[in-house]
Amino acid sequence: MIEKTATELARALHSGEISSVELTKAYLNRISALNNQLNAFITICEESALEQARAADTRRAAGDSSPLLGIPLAHKDIFCTKDQITSCGSRMLHNFTAPYDAYVVERFNAAGAVMLGKTNMDEFAMGSSNETSFFGPVRNPWDTERVPGGSSGGSAAAVAADLCAMATGTDTGGSIRQPAAFCGITGFKPSYGRVSRWGMIAFASSLDQAGPLCKSAEDAALMMNVMAGPDRRDSTCAELETEDYQAGIGQGLKGLKIGLPRQHFAEGLSAEVELRIRDALAEFEKLGATVIDIDLPNNHLSVSAYYVVAPAEASANLSRYDGVRYGYRCEQPVDLEDLYKRSRSEGFGEEVKRRIMVGTYALSAGYFDAYYRKAQKIRRLIKNDFDTAFNSVDVIIGPTSPHTAFTLGSKTDPVAMYLEDIYTIAVNLAGLPGISIPAGLCGGLPAGLHIIGNDFAESRVLNVAHQFQLATDFHRQKPALKVN
Ligand code: GLN
């Protein structure tokens, strides 16, 4: 039962084939059998999960048939949870308990979903491999010597290994889509502003967006029906009415125009991954779509622009961790300055410090125009490229990542790590929705197919992904994990 999609589980719960308590126990057993190997969960909430499961069963017995009622999920440890630690993968917050639930957590609780625990992640969501976590790296269920991707690597590994039915993640430059690709699952980043950031620990506020990691596009639609805004507590959350995403995924693809960006099929893309994507495009053509070559001429500037904008925002957001109000505090500070300095030096890891330094530099008076303002101008050019492309196509398709999961410890150069997001980062800079879905295996490791939509075209993106999954079964492929 645990290998099923959330949509299938909802049916099984509804028909009475299984209870939420039984299902929750099955996942908790799976977690205790496999988490030692994978390190996907930082916190496991056994007692409260069973309590929520019992409450869900009671609600169902009383006639409630909410779609996610009783379905076990995991939250990335970037979402504040009232009675559980929220660490953001950092020593800085390793013992921090938030006084409130994030909007996303509130919504899943209200929907009756069962929270199994909190998942591991790169520290403050900075990374592409989950190796920057204070709690140690997560391992990829397809090959435990390899990374699961990042920063939502714990959520991706947990879903891929059936430690939960679905999970939440956040994506600032690729952190939902790239780990979804590396772990062979479905990961969806909504448009900027579609899901409230309230209670989600801030990394780069103009880019951060929450979204689902799950087993199918249909499940992503189900989760989006719960997660999507509006929310007055996040002033950047769109006031747009949300759609019924489940109702939006039933359209055939006849006449769909797919744009193929030349820049996503250029140097650096693994030949094997390219083959999987080309095969998928042939499948889309069978479904009635046409494929058109397009250009995203400024894509090569996206990683550089991002690594000015994101660190700049991060340096401002992370100034709140001062050792005084909350979070890690150094031992026996001699004075206030020593308290700030040592709390921050000891509380943050290397990558986070690198970002704070780069961001502070880019924002300083003498360099603001040369770096920050210039990066913002490039951001506009990137958005213009997408606007032009969407005048002639409905969606843009390419690979999510240039290759499959790499081995742990193999990427030591920060810039090489930054280039991991070469196909995903522009989508965040432009605020667009994007999904990664499995496109088959390359040498036993999953490759991800990336579908990008225009502003707030979440339904279209989910529909295109769902139609592909109706015609193929790549999303059903599972890693062969051995229980020790
Ligand atoms: N890998 C990118 C970074 O390190 C993106 C991370 C993310 O999306 N949170 O910043």
Side-chain angles (χ1 to χ4, degrees):
M1 196 60 95
I2 54 171
E3 71 292 343
K4 292 204 181 307
T5 67
T7 310
E8 291 160 351
L9 290 176
R11 262 181 243 130
L13 285 163
H14 189 67
S15 69
E17 195 184 324
I18 194 165
S19 71
S20 177
V21 169
E22 286 164 334
L23 197 54
T24 301
K25 282 186 180 158
Y27 282 112
L28 288 169
N29 286 341
R30 178 91 174 158
I31 294 170
S32 63
L34 286 171
N35 199 49
N36 282 351
Q37 267 183 71
L38 299 175
N39 199 23
F41 279 86
I42 300 176
T43 304
I44 301 161
C45 312
E46 194 167 341
E47 253 172 61
S48 57
L50 286 170
E51 207 172 291
Q52 281 183 318
R54 278 190 290 271
D57 286 336
T58 309
R59 265 172 75 174
R60 191 172 294 280
D64 190 339
S65 58
S66 310
L68 292 183
L69 184 61
I71 299 192
L73 92 167
H75 288 299
K76 183 178 184 179
D77 210 19
I78 198 168
F79 293 100
C80 286
T81 42
K82 198 164 168 241
D83 301 314
Q84 304 289 348
I85 284 177
T86 300
S87 74
C88 217
S90 183
R91 181 180 197 192
M92 185 56 88
L93 293 174
H94 75 280
N95 56 7
F96 169 69
T97 305
Y100 63 94
D101 281 327
Y103 172 87
V104 165
V105 173
E106 254 178 14
R107 294 295 299 244
F108 279 107
N109 281 345
V114 171
M115 181 174 92
L116 293 168
K118 309 286 299 286
T119 55
N120 203 344
M121 55 181 285
D122 277 302
E123 185 178 9
F124 284 100
M126 298 174 189
S128 297
S129 67
N130 229 289
E131 293 168 294
T132 72
S133 170
F134 173 63
F135 301 91
V138 175
R139 287 166 182 272
N140 190 317
W142 292 83
D143 174 352
T144 52
E145 292 309 311
R146 289 176 190 268
V147 304
S151 65
S152 311
S155 288
V159 171
D162 297 324
L163 306 188
C164 56
M166 56 190 186
T168 55
T170 59
D171 191 313
T172 304
S175 278
I176 289 177
R177 291 161 290 160
Q178 186 253 17
F182 278 15
C183 291
I185 62 161
T186 297
F188 181 51
K189 181 200 101 69
S191 305
Y192 181 77
R194 182 67 292 180
V195 177
S196 169
R197 292 182 295 110
W198 197 75
M200 194 174 108
I201 294 176
F203 162 14
S205 308
S206 77
L207 300 158
D208 298 342
Q209 184 59 207
L213 289 116
C214 49
K215 296 179 186 179
S216 68
E218 200 176 14
D219 284 7
L222 206 60
M223 290 176 75
M224 281 300 292
N225 274 356
V226 169
M227 295 171 83
D231 176 23
R232 301 185 69 164
R233 295 165 301 182
D234 170 6
S235 61
T236 61
C237 192
E239 302 235 349
L240 284 175
E241 275 307 304
T242 53
E243 298 163 63
D244 180 345
Y245 298 104
Q246 244 188 316
I249 58 170
Q251 334 281 317
L253 299 188
K254 207 166 166 33
L256 181 84
K257 286 196 226 114
I258 296 175
L260 213 62
R262 288 191 183 85
Q263 291 75 7
H264 288 202
F265 291 87
E267 205 195 320
L269 174 60
S270 115
E272 274 189 296
V273 171
E274 177 165 0
L275 271 181
R276 297 287 81 82
I277 306 304
R278 300 270 177 203
D279 287 350
L281 287 162
E283 187 63 47
F284 278 115
E285 285 178 324
K286 269 200 245 158
L287 295 173
T290 43
V291 177
I292 306 161
D293 284 324
I294 58 158
D295 276 302
L296 296 172
N298 293 294
N299 189 69
H300 65 291
L301 301 174
S302 60
V303 172
S304 322
Y306 172 92
Y307 278 97
V308 173
V309 174
E313 293 183 19
S315 72
N317 275 327
L318 270 56
S319 65
R320 72 189 66 169
Y321 305 105
D322 54 8
V324 177
R325 285 168 291 186
Y326 47 79
Y328 177 82
R329 177 180 296 173
C330 67
E331 302 273 332
Q332 299 180 321
V334 292
D335 57 19
L336 187 62
E337 194 167 327
D338 185 48
L339 169 81
Y340 289 155
K341 263 197 202 154
R342 282 206 291 120
S343 299
R344 287 171 68 81
S345 315
E346 293 164 19
F348 290 134
E350 286 304 304
E351 184 57 29
V352 172
K353 283 186 233 178
R354 185 176 297 119
R355 307 272 178 121
I356 292 173
M357 284 189 283
V358 169
T360 307
Y361 182 83
L363 289 177
S364 58
Y367 299 100
F368 185 85
D369 286 338
Y371 294 108
Y372 187 75
R373 200 183 300 280
K374 190 149 195 181
Q376 292 290 21
K377 286 183 180 168
I378 291 169
R379 190 170 183 178
R380 168 46 61 183
L381 294 178
I382 286 168
K383 173 72 168 120
N384 291 349
D385 286 354
F386 280 112
D387 288 347
T388 307
F390 283 119
N391 282 331
S392 50
V393 299
D394 301 313
V395 289
I396 295 173
I397 290 187
T400 307
S401 167
H403 43 240
T404 53
F406 48 91
T407 46
L408 279 153
S410 65
K411 258 189 222 300
T412 45
D413 171 26
V415 177
M417 192 67 90
Y418 298 168
L419 284 167
E420 277 301 297
D421 295 319
I422 184 74
Y423 306 137
T424 51
I425 267 183
V427 176
N428 299 76
L429 289 168
L432 304 175
I435 196 167
S436 180
I437 57 172
L441 304 181
C442 303
L445 296 170
L449 176 94
H450 192 197
I451 307 170
I452 307 164
N454 209 347
D455 291 311
F456 294 103
E458 342 315 293
S459 279
R460 170 169 276 161
V461 170
L462 290 168
N463 180 55
V464 172
H466 178 58
Q467 295 302 316
F468 180 80
Q469 291 183 334
L470 284 177
T472 58
D473 62 2
F474 300 123
H475 63 295
R476 301 265 175 205
Q477 291 178 317
K478 294 270 178 191
L481 263 170
K482 274 197 219 77
V483 176
N484 284 347

